[in-house]
Amino acid sequence: VQLQASGGGLVQAGDSLTLSCAASGRTVSIHAVGWFRQVPGKEREFVAAITWTGGTTNYKDSVQGRFTISRDNAENTFYLNMNSLKPEDTAVYYCAAESSLRGPTPSTWFGSYGHWGQGTLVTVSS
């Protein structure tokens, strides 16, 4: 599975931004997809995930209610809609997919995800 992320940019606090990630290759094998983010000097952290078929979601507590993850199976694309952005949301955002797990909920552990897109930078100014 290959992933191509897009949609990052510079926004002001309170603004909205939507990230996209297009999947190609053996997409039929995908169990779940997700978004992670990383700032320099810190570990990559989980943001949101969704199962590819069932649509069950998981969110990091600090983004719950502000961010929404969704997927378009027909287009093999998934999204992260980010509202009410805060300066602390500034990071490089990575999309990811995993094909190895089964079950109704998506993993929040970055080690579960074997396929990664390139990062896209989101900068939120105060």
Side-chain angles (χ1 to χ4, degrees), residues 82-103:
M82 305 182 289
N83 296 318
S84 303
L85 281 161
K86 304 176 181 180
E88 51 264 43
D89 294 318
T90 295
V92 176
Y93 283 71
Y94 297 89
C95 58
E98 62 86 1
S99 307
S100 59
L101 301 178
R102 295 294 180 267

Side-chain angles (χ1 to χ4, degrees), residues 6-8 16-20 35 68 78-83 85:
S6 61
S16 299
L17 196 64
T18 297
L19 306 182
S20 301
W35 291 92
T68 302
F78 58 103
Y79 307 92
L80 184 67
N81 182 41
M82 305 182 289
N83 296 318
L85 281 161

Side-chain angles (χ1 to χ4, degrees), residues 60-126:
K60 177 181 175 62
D61 287 346
S62 64
V63 308
Q64 181 82 47
R66 298 190 297 124
F67 290 11
T68 302
I69 187 170
S70 62
R71 84 273 188 248
D72 183 334
N73 297 86
E75 296 294 327
N76 287 327
T77 302
F78 58 103
Y79 307 92
L80 184 67
N81 182 41
M82 305 182 289
N83 296 318
S84 303
L85 281 161
K86 304 176 181 180
E88 51 264 43
D89 294 318
T90 295
V92 176
Y93 283 71
Y94 297 89
C95 58
E98 62 86 1
S99 307
S100 59
L101 301 178
R102 295 294 180 267
T105 59
S107 173
T108 63
W109 181 49
F110 76 92
S112 298
Y113 292 80
H115 313 283
W116 292 87
Q118 87 290 5
T120 184
L121 178 62
V122 173
T123 304
V124 184
S125 64
S126 58

